[in-house]
Amino acid sequence: DLLSSLPEEQRSALIKNLQELLEGARRAQWLVVFTGVRFPSGYAGVHPRHRIFGALQRLNAKQGDAAVHWFMEGYPGSEICADLAPLDGEPVIWRQRLCHSESLLEQLR
């Protein structure tokens, strides 16, 4: 969990700044879309030779979800921070790759 790995003072300052950013975007009636990388159990669908996520898939195949679960659904750090949660109607788009997804492009059109 990247956010909880920060010292409390830095984490609080980052969350405060992001809250102000979100509030300003909403006041200006900008489209606010939440997106991130997240995988199902066992990194299903990730090719073992993928340059970045393949290592996680291979390690998970050996050690299981309990030990290897970075960016995995249902584990700490894979959800949106409650202090920054989307409002009703703001889209949340989870991806399984670093490139944009078709779902994200649809929201931006």
Side-chain angles (χ1 to χ4, degrees):
D1 180 359
L2 181 61
L3 194 56
S4 66
S5 70
L6 295 173
E8 179 60 36
E9 187 176 316
Q10 290 178 347
R11 180 174 50 248
S12 294
L14 176 62
I15 289 173
K16 180 180 178 281
N17 288 337
L18 290 172
Q19 287 172 325
E20 290 175 12
L21 178 71
L22 284 169
E23 289 169 10
R26 289 168 177 149
R27 267 193 314 275
Q29 298 182 348
W30 289 1
L31 173 65
V32 175
V33 178
F34 290 77
T35 186
V37 176
R38 187 164 72 173
F39 298 99
S41 177
Y43 296 92
V46 174
H47 193 285
R49 289 191 167 183
H50 186 278
R51 286 186 338 186
I52 299 170
F53 302 122
L56 293 175
Q57 190 274 344
R58 291 188 308 272
L59 188 58
N60 179 275
K62 292 178 183 176
Q63 297 184 10
D65 288 353
V68 181
H69 49 257
W70 295 280
F71 308 109
M72 190 176 289
E73 294 173 4
Y75 287 91
S78 68
E79 300 297 328
I80 297 169
C81 173
D83 293 328
L84 304 170
L87 300 179
D88 288 340
E90 290 178 340
V92 177
I93 300 168
W94 295 108
R95 301 170 286 121
Q96 292 185 2
R97 56 189 198 163
L98 295 178
C99 298
H100 58 77
S101 68
E102 195 59 38
S103 300
L104 177 59
L105 292 177
E106 289 173 15
Q107 292 295 322
L108 298 175
R109 288 187 183 127

